[in-house]
Amino acid sequence: MDAAPAGRPVRAHVWVRGRVQGVGFRFFVVRHARELGLAGWVRNLPDGRVELVAEGPQAAVETLLRLVERGPAGAVVTGVETRWEPPTGARGFGIGADG
């Protein structure tokens, strides 16, 4: 990803494949996203993937993406797809598409 102008937030829309449901993955994402000061949400999908949106400073979003690639203990991440989108000014981070 190209660097965002200084002070401008970025937004990543992410789909995570593997053994990522039933292992505390959503709570792992929420905890780290909040620690990093990010906004967005995370949810399980019916096909077994986890979907998340994270918005905030580029360095913080990239840190969260590195954590997501590893996941919590018990998770086995086999793939991460990331789509960069324009930020929307989201606030707070929670479980479910509404945060």
Side-chain angles (χ1 to χ4, degrees), residues 3-4 6 12 17 24-25 39 54-55 57 61 70 93 98:
R17 291 184 316 278
F25 202 95
E55 187 171 315
V61 171
R70 182 187 75 213
F93 202 102
D98 297 330

Side-chain angles (χ1 to χ4, degrees), residues 4-72:
R8 301 289 306 266
V10 298
R11 178 181 176 99
H13 196 154
V14 182
W15 295 267
V16 186
R17 291 184 316 278
R19 186 173 50 158
V20 293
Q21 292 189 13
V23 294
F25 202 95
R26 291 175 298 161
F27 300 100
F28 172 87
V29 171
V30 169
R31 185 183 78 219
H32 287 291
R34 288 179 178 169
E35 287 174 359
L36 291 164
L38 298 174
W41 50 264
V42 60
R43 67 179 174 181
N44 286 339
L45 293 175
D47 65 4
R49 294 179 299 160
V50 169
E51 178 184 24
L52 69 103
V53 168
E55 187 171 315
Q58 181 175 342
V61 171
E62 290 176 350
T63 296
L64 182 65
L65 292 177
R66 284 191 297 276
L67 290 165
V68 163
E69 288 174 355
R70 182 187 75 213

